Amino acid sequence: NQTVLIEEQLDLIGHFHAAGTPGRHEPFDGEFNYPFLLRRLESAGYDRYIGLEYKPSLPPQESLARSLEYLRCRD
């Protein structure tokens, strides 16, 4: 399980990159459930950086605002 492997190696990880996949567009437009992954990282004690590295498919300000809203989502 990749999530368990990541959690076991958190002390070696300086930052994560987030992007929608496939296509490397907005993180909310892809196969990964980033809110779930971020909650898992937080509960495992990760308190470092999450970088957004994607090609916006929307106007830049809208893209960033929607991405941040999605990533802050709690369910």
Side-chain angles (χ1 to χ4, degrees), residues 18-32 34 54:
T21 186
R24 298 202 61 80
H25 296 292
E26 286 80 6
F28 56 81
D29 186 24
E31 298 173 357
F32 291 120
Y34 280 109
Y54 67 91

Side-chain angles (χ1 to χ4, degrees), residues 11-43:
D11 60 326
L12 302 175
I13 298 172
H15 71 279
F16 287 91
H17 289 233
T21 186
R24 298 202 61 80
H25 296 292
E26 286 80 6
F28 56 81
D29 186 24
E31 298 173 357
F32 291 120
N33 182 341
Y34 280 109
F36 169 79
L37 295 172
L38 294 177
R39 284 192 307 274
R40 288 287 301 261
L41 290 173
E42 184 178 40
S43 69

Side-chain angles (χ1 to χ4, degrees), residues 6 12 15-16 19 22 30 33 42 44 47-48 50-51 55 60 64 66-68 70:
I6 289 171
L12 302 175
H15 71 279
F16 287 91
N33 182 341
E42 184 178 40
D47 62 357
R48 291 176 222 118
I50 306 291
K55 299 177 282 188
L64 182 58
R66 288 185 57 191
S67 294
L68 292 176
Y70 168 74

